[in-house]
Amino acid sequence: MTITPPALSIFETLESEVRSYCRSWPAVFDRARGSRLVDEDGHSYLDFFAGAGSLNYGHNNPVLKRALLDYLERDGITHGLDMATTAKRTFLETFQNVVLRPRDLPYKVMFPGPTGTNAVEAALKLARKVKGRESVVSFTNAFHGMSLGSLAVTGNAFKRAGAGIPLVHGTPMPFDNYFDGTVPDFLWFERLLEDQGSGLNKPAAVIVETVQGEGGINVARPEWLRALKELCERRDMLLIVDDIQMGCGRTGGFFSFEEAGIVPDIVTLSKSISGYGLPMSLCLFLPELDVWEPGEHNGTFRGNNPAFVTAAAALRTYWADGELEKQTLDRGEQVEQALLALAAEDPEPGFGFRGRGLVWGLEFPDKQRASAVCARAFELGLLLETSGPEGEVVKLLPPLTVSAEELDEGLRTLARAVRETA
Amino acid sequence: MTITPPALSIFETLESEVRSYCRSWPAVFDRARGSRLVDEDGHSYLDFFAGAGSLNYGHNNPVLKRALLDYLERDGITHGLDMATTAKRTFLETFQNVVLRPRDLPYKVMFPGPTGTNAVEAALKLARKVKGRESVVSFTNAFHGMSLGSLAVTGNAFKRAGAGIPLVHGTPMPFDNYFDGTVPDFLWFERLLEDQGSGLNKPAAVIVETVQGEGGINVARPEWLRALKELCERRDMLLIVDDIQMGCGRTGGFFSFEEAGIVPDIVTLSKSISGYGLPMSLCLFLPELDVWEPGEHNGTFRGNNPAFVTAAAALRTYWADGELEKQTLDRGEQVEQALLALAAEDPEPGFGFRGRGLVWGLEFPDKQRASAVCARAFELGLLLETSGPEGEVVKLLPPLTVSAEELDEGLRTLARAVRETA
Amino acid sequence: MTITPPALSIFETLESEVRSYCRSWPAVFDRARGSRLVDEDGHSYLDFFAGAGSLNYGHNNPVLKRALLDYLERDGITHGLDMATTAKRTFLETFQNVVLRPRDLPYKVMFPGPTGTNAVEAALKLARKVKGRESVVSFTNAFHGMSLGSLAVTGNAFKRAGAGIPLVHGTPMPFDNYFDGTVPDFLWFERLLEDQGSGLNKPAAVIVETVQGEGGINVARPEWLRALKELCERRDMLLIVDDIQMGCGRTGGFFSFEEAGIVPDIVTLSKSISGYGLPMSLCLFLPELDVWEPGEHNGTFRGNNPAFVTAAAALRTYWADGELEKQTLDRGEQVEQALLALAAEDPEPGFGFRGRGLVWGLEFPDKQRASAVCARAFELGLLLETSGPEGEVVKLLPPLTVSAEELDEGLRTLARAVRETA
Amino acid sequence: MTITPPALSIFETLESEVRSYCRSWPAVFDRARGSRLVDEDGHSYLDFFAGAGSLNYGHNNPVLKRALLDYLERDGITHGLDMATTAKRTFLETFQNVVLRPRDLPYKVMFPGPTGTNAVEAALKLARKVKGRESVVSFTNAFHGMSLGSLAVTGNAFKRAGAGIPLVHGTPMPFDNYFDGTVPDFLWFERLLEDQGSGLNKPAAVIVETVQGEGGINVARPEWLRALKELCERRDMLLIVDDIQMGCGRTGGFFSFEEAGIVPDIVTLSKSISGYGLPMSLCLFLPELDVWEPGEHNGTFRGNNPAFVTAAAALRTYWADGELEKQTLDRGEQVEQALLALAAEDPEPGFGFRGRGLVWGLEFPDKQRASAVCARAFELGLLLETSGPEGEVVKLLPPLTVSAEELDEGLRTLARAVRETA
């Protein structure tokens, strides 16, 4: 494929320097369907990024699209604040019947502003209100969002520096396997909690991702998550699972924490919850934590009803049975086999890999290499991005609806990009 | 109109106690068009709330709807992060040609997460980064959002208490007319800045609304805004105008600060910028302030392309000429006349009023009265909400596209509700 | 008097650049008695600074000296932490009998670390603990100390900048007469408190000096102090009077707030409480506020027993009757007459003045002038220092035991320095 | 010895509940000499507490006493702010000649307010100013003082809770041997620093005690201190050694860090620096760090000249040769032998012990036991105190000038108290 340099001028002249993805992918995208995007010159790209996890059901999924068009055409409520609407009721009923009840999850549902960071802000506020303490523990290489509350529990030094104020009230602890298994789990955390002289401000809550996406595809073991849950209970801290990127089936089950068999106190969802890439977020919590006063946390777009419509359609379509979950695990197996094969090509393959469900990462000790792999993949028509604190990890995040053939195609392109950047 | 108590059960059983508007308006809304909503029982409501200012062009505006349906039908990019897309380019070009150039505004455009509070968080971060100072001055009864950065510059004590941490780095100053004209403008602020012993942490920026919506429809005079701009320049502080609720034509001109003839350093837009009630926000700033590093502030839904499509359509339709602006001012005049007439009915009318363009407030010294007026209006088929620190102000915020007849109908209903709650 | 440049070398080579007074007064002082210091070359200086208010009874006051020498000679406890000692008991009994009982003050007595800033830190901690709130209101041009808690309620921008962290949890309000009487007292403060949308974090306490010493000899009127006390009661805030510089008789009565007839909730004392220039401080508070846990605030030198000995001797000698108070007011009158006369020499005298008891300030609109006056006074054998946010005020702070003749001598020297710097 | 309950009434009625030591030692002390105190009933107590380390040369040391009396009798300057005085010059010269030069230490000398916490506040301010960062790393079970800056880097949860505001800008790291040698030194700290995604705010400085006194007599190994110094250099952080309790010969050498062969960037001294229990403190730092502006940190009692006089006398008497250092190590050996013998009495002795020089701790797994030992020792005429986060450690801190016989007597009393509380 030959790429003509696109006419990016107004993006360069009018848009702020803060723009980033458009720098890695110098194309002007026009339309998309399933696992593929097409740019304005007609070039097609296989998407192994999926809107950073917002497009688990692919671009413009036809089932959801039909529901959305029907709703818009009949002038359903578009902007609903937190008014009761028929679309919201349908979503709530579907979420209850398809997601919560089958999993015996007793959560109350809150609609914060329709972005991940807003759900995290709500979760942190609630935890602090319930416990009457300011401090929250997060983990190394956590990513929870860019507004000040979320940023304070995010690890990345570059992002943190953007705050312009000292970020306080958060303390990082080592994520699972941070010391490659050489240190017992929670040794430091537990000791700080039990030692009255440790200097740790007693936390209201712990916030964790089961797999750190932005942090470099760091996968927590189920036993580590269970031990964390137990620690939280024993030490009177709430456990918040930020399932914004890993929820909605990314790791197989609807919630990424199901595999570990735990029930977090608070859960945040966003990204793929609407199913169609429309802004939406949820904050779920145990009923006894629902101490909010009416309107104590609000937001203009918390009632994005078109998103409720596609969300309900997505739940009905993909979560009424176990098909998608099974398929995701199968596809994950396919990825793992391909990466094993790629690694086996070379006695010193130049990368390690890890993952779960349909989220995988290739870590390159040569830290520039990951960017080079992504750049070459783009030339070859595959969208891939890096993650990790120094961008040293190539992240695979295809739509869950990717076909085995598309997945194979993408993995072959990836392999080629790895080989050609060696 | 008789209202059958709606079946709210799942809203009450599953949704968090944080819900609020649905408590004031016990109906389940189903569809909407222009200035009217219809609930599932077929009752119609005239909307003088307009999605808290997000629906300046009415519900499901047919011109924007057509553009949106076309885009969705042709599988245009829905979720775009900050990739270059054709929809984004069209929006940028339209915004430049229709909004910025005719007003000689040299702003760079940033797409934060698609909510107002996210735009404010971005503005505050940028101001702090540019000036290297933490402190920001806000005004009494300001409202800027619910995430921690925005909440710290918001006045409402109830909302602030929800933070769960002390909100610092912000200092309130008296808004225009806070002392009913008995104290010279900026007397306190100016003196704190010039006195090296005042104890004020030197601010990076001042954030202001030209009309405080949530704060009670407090209208800043143009000369006060000009003096504020001059003060900021003289004292090396950036001026941020939060035009989230008052921008996009609410007060007449596209930006609410146009009337004062000032050019703020940073401007936030959200609510009606997409025109269709879809989540979207912008942060505008002078080019010399564009010191962001790529990706230093980001967010999953900052590329909500359907919103770009409706936003561009709205700009083309309503802002290519001065018709809407003129009509808004005319309608505002109509509101003012009606309120004058209502007040004249009684030598002691029991309320005062103020407003600008199509945002008006009736303040009731009897603070319970405003809620009673809104409740009665709802029974009469008119959606109205209160604002102000103690909910003592009835807020009129009809769509800008309201017809003279609809406006007259709503104002008559309002008058009746006022009379019947006397 | 001719001054030989002193050999300052080790002060310049070994001591930190932070040193300050030794820069204004280039002499090496050796001994002192009453109102006079003598340098190592035998030059004598009349002291109108009195250890920044720590030497109200003069240098090496012979009565206190005798008590101190007796105590040391008989090997009385020197360092006592907060052990019960006979010296401490004597001090407590004397303080109760001579100071508290005659004034009907029911205070409990706390011995913080023996410096003013430590007493302020204790007062702020206690107020926050009692009220369960973080915020404290201070006043423009307040000075309360240099440790982080005290510095956060201090006004001076230069001092604040030294903190190295943002100073938060404090909000400045205008001190008495900040706007030269053009604005009603507490207009801004009261309004912020009553307005639920003001954005002010509700304060635990207000901390105030009755006369701001470092801030430029700003004298609060008794009626302003009474109104402040009333405001604090009405709004559920504790009133802390920082009487470190103005207490111990500086303004006439033992406490500077006696004239206003108020009883603060918390009072801090230091500087002249030991009477001999020895480090000591007290924090006094109403009994119902004594919610400290044992050891919750402590410090190594809080039992500086030699200071207790001189403190008790000072109370017995100077406060068993009303002689010193009367003399202080007389001497104050003498100062005022001299300043009136000096001002009358010139139709445009180039300075204004104000004061109370034996603390007076001459403010020079030409801000360099105050330093020049002090420098010339030093050459003429008189120690004077500047205060105010820009050092624009010459501060008169002679020992309370100054004789009428010494006072006259110093005032004539001051007058000469003023004339010669015109 | 029989103890008559002392008349504590005024201590109980007038003094605040915050008092603490007087609760453990129900006696009214009157006079003291060397290692012994005498109460008002004539009972004598052997002092193994030494003013919490402020009386390294014993109570009312006769050599220092003579110098102090001479100075006071000749009316030497008592209160000197930071004026140049002959007493200060003598101290500076002596400190330079006896302490700094023989150890090749190039420090500048700052006189903060005369308490330990003030020296720490100055050190933290300076480190933050030099590095332009807010964060400081401290260690588990650190104790640095009770004013807000120092308290934020102190570990004890009870003390921290007294702050009344969230204590931020500090992060605790594990002190030496925190995990009993099972985890490599600085594993967590180093990893947080090198990982750009760790979430640690980059520290300006690290503050450490070589032996944690209040924290439970935790002794850092020399190699750990050296590795810490090396880490600080490599990671551009300043190393502050808080030598307030362990300096002035407590561990043998004048500075406790001499044994490790390191040169900290900043050192704080207080407690025994005056030698006589008089309030005094120093902050020492490398000359290139002396970026203070004149007066940027000050305090009323920073020129406590009587303390300078006794300090100079103490340095001349005890530090001109190596006798005291040698004796301290010998006495330390004597303590260790006695504790070994005591432990050997029982195959399961019920306590562990550790120490260095003349600071030793006995840790009792039965946490109430340590208090019981101290209470019994008091009855037997020996002053001992507990330390550690739960008061589980009996702390031995006799004067360095204790005779071998006194030490033996005290150790025998201790042994008896241990036995009798078993």
Side-chain angles (χ1 to χ4, degrees), chain C residues 45 371-384 413-414 417:
Chain C
Y45 302 82
S371 296
V373 168
C374 293
R376 182 64 187 126
F378 178 77
E379 292 170 350
L380 297 169
L382 177 67
L383 299 187
L384 280 180
T413 305
L414 167 67

Side-chain angles (χ1 to χ4, degrees), chain A residues 369 376 379-380 414-422:
Chain A
R369 180 92 176 279
R376 183 65 187 126
E379 292 170 351
L380 298 169
L414 167 67
R416 182 172 160 196
V418 170
R419 283 184 213 108
E420 293 181 4
T421 54

Side-chain angles (χ1 to χ4, degrees), chain D residues 52-118:
Chain D
S54 299
L55 296 165
N56 282 1
Y57 314 115
H59 290 267
N60 299 328
N61 183 296
V63 180
L64 313 190
K65 176 176 168 178
R66 188 66 263 149
L68 176 62
L69 289 173
D70 288 349
Y71 187 76
L72 293 172
E73 278 162 4
R74 77 166 185 82
D75 283 333
I77 298 287
T78 296
H79 182 277
L81 291 157
D82 66 352
M83 295 187 283
T85 65
T86 48
K88 189 179 192 176
R89 184 166 57 200
T90 301
F91 169 75
L92 283 171
E93 288 169 351
T94 310
F95 192 71
Q96 187 171 52
N97 292 331
V98 173
V99 175
L100 297 180
R101 281 203 183 131
R103 291 165 181 79
D104 266 338
L105 293 171
Y107 293 133
K108 295 292 284 289
V109 176
M110 174 185 181
F111 297 88
T115 66
T117 196
N118 204 307

Side-chain angles (χ1 to χ4, degrees), chain C residues 41-56:
Chain C
D41 297 321
H43 297 129
S44 171
Y45 302 82
L46 187 57
D47 184 2
F48 270 29
F49 188 56
S54 300
L55 296 164
N56 283 0

Side-chain angles (χ1 to χ4, degrees), chain B residues 354-383:
Chain B
R354 61 229 173 199
R356 198 182 137 208
L358 264 175
V359 50
W360 290 82
L362 284 72
E363 179 170 357
F364 293 85
D366 168 2
K367 296 183 181 188
Q368 308 309 311
R369 178 92 178 278
S371 295
V373 169
C374 293
R376 182 65 186 129
F378 178 77
E379 293 170 350
L380 298 169
L382 177 66
L383 299 187

Side-chain angles (χ1 to χ4, degrees), chain A residues 89 93, chain B residues 6-15:
Chain A
R89 184 166 56 201
E93 288 169 351
Chain B
L8 279 170
S9 57
I10 199 163
F11 301 109
E12 288 167 340
T13 57
L14 188 61
E15 201 180 347

Side-chain angles (χ1 to χ4, degrees), chain D residues 16-29:
Chain D
S16 163
E17 294 299 322
V18 81
R19 68 193 186 280
S20 61
Y21 288 114
C22 56
R23 298 172 191 266
S24 310
W25 298 332
V28 179
F29 296 98

